[in-house]
Amino acid sequence: MNYVVTDNAKTELVSLVETTYGEAILTMQRGEEEKELVIANTGLSEVVYESSVDYYLDNLGWSQEQFDDYWENGGEDKEIDNYVDGTVEYYDDWSTWEELNW
């Protein structure tokens, strides 16, 4: 007999907490199991800013002024949401979820 194991569990965001030390700690849940992951050591905004500014200036050819205007008018929140969503999505299967056990 062949048995097929199906995985209906989905990784979901439980919380995102920034400590006074600047750490951003993401808590995710998959099934009944919860795990924490530090996604920034010096402030989430700074980590996301660095990757975003590189992308928009280098890949899309924006000027620093264009990016600053975007960042200050809702872009910061949008990019942080995308970063967190992308991290949760990355851990949305058992193989990557198990990486968090080290």
Side-chain angles (χ1 to χ4, degrees):
M1 292 218 134
N2 291 332
Y3 294 97
V4 176
V5 177
T6 58
D7 174 14
N8 295 326
K10 175 133 181 78
T11 301
E12 297 182 10
L13 176 66
V14 173
S15 68
L16 173 62
V17 176
E18 286 195 71
T19 68
T20 55
Y21 303 108
E23 286 184 324
I25 303 169
L26 187 66
T27 304
M28 298 175 285
Q29 182 173 358
R30 185 173 180 79
E32 298 297 316
E33 187 176 21
E34 270 189 20
K35 294 185 180 181
E36 291 184 343
L37 176 67
V38 176
I39 58 173
N41 290 310
T42 58
L44 186 55
S45 182
E46 290 150 17
V47 169
V48 174
Y49 179 90
E50 290 302 319
S51 64
S52 297
V53 76
D54 289 345
Y55 173 77
Y56 284 93
L57 271 62
D58 296 342
N59 294 352
L60 298 183
W62 286 19
S63 69
Q64 183 67 50
E65 285 181 19
Q66 284 176 304
F67 181 78
D68 290 345
D69 185 54
Y70 166 71
W71 188 258
E72 293 167 6
N73 292 292
E76 178 180 9
D77 292 336
K78 179 182 174 189
E79 295 301 324
I80 288 173
D81 288 347
N82 288 341
Y83 185 84
V84 170
D85 290 347
T87 303
V88 173
E89 186 176 312
Y90 176 78
Y91 290 105
D92 195 25
D93 69 57
W94 283 112
S95 64
T96 53
W97 182 254
E98 289 303 312
E99 290 176 7
L100 295 173
N101 283 336
W102 47 272

